[in-house]
């Protein structure tokens, strides 16, 4: 049974001392991403933290959590992937970004930026959903001290409960592909799947979730780009009992993609933390800040049970 942490959310005065700094991150292929950096308040208590967003979720969704985390003594970077939020350039229908590039280019560049800015040898990666699924695409994965996957899984449709599987297949394999043909971008917002996405990102998202194994599908038959077997970074995945996407089976499907990594999971029951629901997205909402100390404990590598 999970017990709520006694860690406290900082006062408004403390949080106000941490002002996000708008920064630019240049990827190896020349694409420029936009992010926000928050410097640790007071004594730096732990490693820097890179927050990698979920698919179709803008960086601003995480800024309150990032501000709180900086008040706990961590330097923090959060960013938008290419084609999303502040990193989108021009019309979405003209964006040729792929989901593969979000891992091989964007996460790699964000990690390198934070390493350089902080001067530390490693950082902790807090990956929300897709943000925690692509470690096997990062050639610099060894610079990640710990991966904390929040609601991270492969989203393998076959392992979802039947009613939600039907909705996922209808949305990602039927409505979104057809909408892409008409609009030139993936209209994921119309089916409640976050911000609209570049066309190729939407297509790959549906394909990877249908196939299982998620990012392994990007590097199949490309051994020089496949780092899944080499990952030895300790992995902790937190997922909610009421999450239709990240469930016990889809989380296990993700963890099998890193066979050499030490792994632990924690299935969280919302009511045990004073919450009516948690689901896939609510972990980072201010209304659900009761979960933030648990994430912080995972970042520090503390025992969770």
């Amino acid at each position: 049974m999970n017990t709520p942490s006694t860690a406290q959310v900082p006062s408004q005065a403390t949080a106000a001392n941490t002002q996000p700094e708008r920064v630019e991150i240049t990827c190896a292929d020349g694409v420029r991403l936009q992010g926000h950096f928050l410097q640790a308040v007071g004594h730096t208590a732990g490693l820097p933290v890179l927050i990698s967003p979920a698919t179709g979720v803008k960086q601003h969704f995480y800024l309150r959590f990032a501000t709180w985390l900086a008040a706990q003594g961590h330097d923090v970077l959060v960013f938008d992937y290419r084609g999303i939020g502040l990193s989108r350039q021009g019309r979405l229908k003209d964006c040729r970004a792929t989901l593969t590039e979000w891992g091989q280019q964007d996460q790699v560049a964000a990690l390198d930026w934070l390493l350089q800015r902080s001067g530390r040898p490693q950082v902790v990666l807090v990956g929300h959903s897709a943000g925690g699924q692509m470690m096997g695409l990062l050639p610099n994965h060894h610079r990640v001290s710990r991966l904390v996957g929040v609601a991270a899984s492969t989203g393998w449709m076959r392992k979802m409960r039947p009613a939600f599987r039907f909705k996922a297949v209808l949305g990602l394999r039927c409505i979104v592909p057809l909408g892409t043909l008409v609009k030139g971008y993936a209209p994921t917002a119309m089916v409640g799947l976050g911000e609209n996405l570049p066309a190729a990102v939407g297509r790959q998202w549906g394909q990877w979730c249908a196939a299982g194994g998620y990012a392994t599908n990007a590097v199949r038959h490309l051994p020089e780009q496949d780092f899944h077997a080499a990952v030895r970074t300790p992995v902790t995945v937190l997922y909610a009992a009421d999450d239709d996407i990240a469930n016990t089976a889809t989380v296990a499907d993700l963890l099998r993609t890193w066979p050499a990594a030490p792994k632990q999971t924690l299935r969280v029951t919302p009511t045990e933390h004073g919450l009516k629901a948690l689901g896939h997205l609510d972990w980072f909402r201010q209304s659900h800040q009761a979960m933030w100390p648990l994430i912080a404990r995972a970042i520090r590598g503390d025992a969770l049970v």
Side-chain angles (χ1 to χ4, degrees):
M1 178 174 178
N2 305 319
T3 56
S5 170
T6 57
Q8 298 295 313
V9 174
S11 67
Q12 291 183 355
T14 301
N17 293 330
T18 305
Q19 295 299 322
E21 173 192 349
R22 177 82 172 263
V23 300
E24 186 171 87
I25 303 160
T26 302
C27 299
D29 62 358
V31 172
R32 296 175 182 175
L33 309 177
Q34 302 299 313
H36 283 88
F37 175 73
L38 298 97
Q39 189 168 6
V41 175
H43 175 67
T44 301
L47 289 173
V49 175
L50 171 63
I51 300 176
S52 290
T55 306
V57 180
K58 296 179 182 180
Q59 62 181 287
H60 286 84
F61 180 71
Y62 304 95
L63 279 180
R64 288 188 182 274
F65 171 72
T67 300
W68 177 84
L69 200 56
Q72 308 303 303
H74 297 274
D75 289 339
V76 184
L77 173 66
V78 62
F79 68 101
D80 284 323
Y81 302 111
R82 61 187 67 196
I84 295 295
L86 297 176
S87 295
R88 188 174 119 191
Q89 300 176 0
R91 299 186 304 173
L92 185 57
K93 67 185 299 183
D94 296 327
C95 181
R96 298 295 177 259
T98 67
L99 191 52
T100 302
E101 289 171 337
W102 283 11
Q104 292 180 334
Q105 293 285 339
D106 300 1
Q107 283 196 7
V108 169
L111 175 55
D112 283 344
W113 189 98
L114 184 54
L115 287 164
Q116 183 175 6
R117 176 64 178 262
S118 66
R120 304 294 290 275
Q122 289 185 309
V123 307
V124 176
L125 172 59
V126 174
H128 183 203
S129 192
Q133 296 166 329
M134 295 188 278
M135 179 85 84
L137 302 182
L138 278 60
N140 55 354
H141 60 84
H142 60 284
R143 305 298 298 274
V144 178
S145 171
R146 186 175 300 108
L147 168 62
V148 178
V150 179
S153 75
T154 58
W156 191 10
M157 296 173 182
R158 181 178 170 185
K159 296 297 182 179
M160 296 174 177
R161 64 181 178 85
F164 192 81
R165 179 170 67 239
F166 174 78
K167 291 170 60 177
V169 171
L170 180 64
L172 282 177
R173 302 296 283 162
C174 299
I175 296 175
V176 168
L178 288 174
T180 299
L181 293 175
V182 174
K183 295 179 175 293
Y185 60 84
T188 42
M190 70 183 292
V191 291
L193 293 174
E195 298 295 315
N196 292 325
L197 300 171
V201 171
R203 282 195 297 269
Q204 282 190 315
W205 190 17
Q207 291 164 359
W208 294 4
C209 288
Y214 208 71
T216 59
N217 293 284
V219 289
R220 195 163 308 227
H221 311 304
L222 296 171
E224 71 283 358
Q225 299 177 26
D226 187 354
F227 304 101
H228 287 84
V231 171
R232 284 169 173 76
T233 300
V235 177
T236 297
V237 174
L238 308 174
Y239 67 104
D242 61 342
D243 189 340
D244 282 315
I245 298 172
N247 59 41
T248 300
T250 59
V251 169
D253 187 47
L254 175 66
L255 295 180
R256 73 168 178 82
T257 67
W258 304 309
K263 313 170 189 74
Q264 66 171 332
T265 63
L266 183 64
R267 183 175 182 266
V268 175
T269 302
T271 55
E272 293 179 357
H273 295 267
L275 301 171
K276 293 181 179 179
L278 187 53
H280 197 65
L281 292 176
D282 289 344
W283 294 82
F284 298 97
R285 298 188 194 278
Q286 188 174 23
S287 58
H288 288 64
Q289 62 187 3
M291 302 312 307
W292 296 357
L294 179 63
I295 300 174
R297 285 165 54 198
I299 289 171
R300 293 191 301 265
D302 295 346
L304 300 180
V305 292

